[in-house]
Amino acid sequence: MVDVPLGDITAEQTQVLLNPPVGMSPSIAVLSSIGDTTFAFQQLSSAELLGALRGSSETAKFVLTAVVECCREDSENYSKLTADDDIFTHLKSVLIRGDIDPFTKGKAAYLLTGIMSHAPGKYGEDTNDFSVVGAVTQSLTNGNTSTLGQLEGLCNLLKIPTFREAVLDQPGTLHVLLSVNANSASQTLYRAVFCLWLLSGGSGLTASARRVAELLKAILASCRSEKVVRVALMALRNLIKDETMVLAVVEAGVLESVRTLEYEKWRDAEMYAEIKDLAACLASEQSTHSSVAAYEKELESNELVPGYLHSERFWLDNVGKFDKDDFGPIRKLTTLLGSSNPTTLCLACSDLGEFARLHPLGKSVIGKLHAKAMVMPLMGHSDRQVAREALLCVQKMMLNQSSLNKMEAK
């Protein structure tokens, strides 16, 4: 099993390891050496380790930080932790202790979930009972642990395919992942995109497709850490295999952020090929899902759905293609003004307004189709959003671009 890479030891970790609490037993204090502490860790008895976990908050902070580093140096050290169920129980108790700070709880979460990922059979894989996974995930995502600690814990759990459903069943999981700030430290971003990559091969992210796409776009636009970008690209490559996700990726405009990466300097020359290849795939998907043909297909369903096909960007790129068949798509669009669906009415008004505003013959065509007369009654619609979109549509039909710009500026 491959553990999530450590990266650089943070300043806080360094300070904790260099300053063990006064009065600590020598067998625990020896863990303060930053470097190969595996031998010292292996000499600890379970009783000594449990005693330290039950000790003061400072003692627990020191020992948990040291043990995390030992396990990261050599994952074989987990065998000592998985052999004693009392250690697992006491790590869970650390997560709910009132005197423990978020940093320390993050270390406890890392070890707790690390134990589970190194012995999945004990925690549901053998019995198909994943209640412990769900309970630990709930404790992990309740907001009492540092963001980095939450993400590290989720990484450990999500590495086990059989755990993923139970982890995603907890509402806090996606909240933690999708609340990450795109300007966070690279360690935090790496673990966030790593989790998204682990989930990208299934359907667990589809309910939050647009938020996932927006987050990945923001990260690619702001972060230039090579390992973060590489894993984000891997996640996107998986996500666009799903119809719901690829639509979200197209609508979010992720292609623009990916293309920008081509002009950055990367240490690994293979990055350029990966970026160009994904950009080509996204461009192809965007052409497929944002074409006039896709728009016409939606028109035939007599129900319009919010998304890229009804955005200003779509109309700017495609308005000149709507004159086919004597403006057939626009004729069909006007028929939807009689829909009983408020969403369809809103989008139909918005699209007609964009056509009138952007097409050289837009206002003339709208006049011949008597579309304005069909939109005006909707200004008194009981649905306030429909009434608003109808008003905006009529304004676009009647005013020139200069007048519209002046109105928007007020």
Side-chain angles (χ1 to χ4, degrees), residues 140-183:
L140 178 65
T141 58
N142 65 8
N144 294 326
T145 305
S146 66
T147 299
L148 182 59
Q150 290 176 318
L151 292 171
E152 287 184 324
L154 290 175
C155 277
N156 282 336
L157 293 177
L158 292 172
K159 285 187 293 183
I160 307 303
T162 53
F163 285 3
R164 290 172 190 167
E165 183 177 350
V167 174
L168 281 173
D169 279 345
Q170 298 301 318
T173 298
L174 287 179
H175 175 74
V176 169
L177 292 179
L178 300 179
S179 297
V180 170
N181 188 315
N183 295 311

Side-chain angles (χ1 to χ4, degrees), residues 174 177-180 196 203-219 236 239-240 242-257 286 289-290 305-314 347:
L174 287 179
L177 292 179
L178 300 179
S179 297
V180 170
L196 293 177
S203 59
L205 297 176
T206 53
S208 304
R210 187 57 185 264
R211 292 182 65 196
V212 172
E214 293 284 4
L215 176 58
L216 288 171
K217 176 186 177 181
I219 290 174
L236 282 169
L239 291 173
I240 61 176
D242 177 90
E243 185 66 19
T244 300
M245 292 303 310
V246 73
L247 281 172
V249 169
V250 168
E251 291 169 7
V254 176
L255 175 58
E256 182 181 347
S257 292
Q286 182 160 305
H289 293 281
S290 64
V305 180
Y308 180 78
L309 293 176
H310 307 285
S311 67
E312 181 184 33
R313 182 74 263 166
F314 172 80
L347 294 173

Side-chain angles (χ1 to χ4, degrees), residues 316-364:
L316 285 168
D317 291 342
N318 296 283
V319 70
K321 303 172 185 176
F322 276 80
D323 53 5
K324 59 183 292 189
D325 300 326
D326 193 23
F327 297 97
I330 301 302
R331 291 176 183 275
K332 173 62 178 177
L333 183 59
T334 61
T335 67
L336 297 185
L337 292 172
S339 172
S340 60
N341 184 322
T343 299
T344 295
L345 289 176
C346 285
L347 294 173
C349 288
S350 175
D351 288 356
L352 284 170
E354 290 296 83
F355 174 76
R357 178 174 73 92
L358 296 171
H359 197 285
L361 300 177
K363 291 180 175 59
S364 174

Side-chain angles (χ1 to χ4, degrees), residues 9 12-20 29 31-34 62 65-67 69:
I9 296 178
E12 184 170 7
Q13 286 174 298
T14 302
Q15 287 301 313
V16 170
L17 294 175
L18 290 177
N19 298 282
L31 295 174
S32 63
S33 305
I34 297 179
F62 171 80
T65 302
V67 173
E69 296 313 312

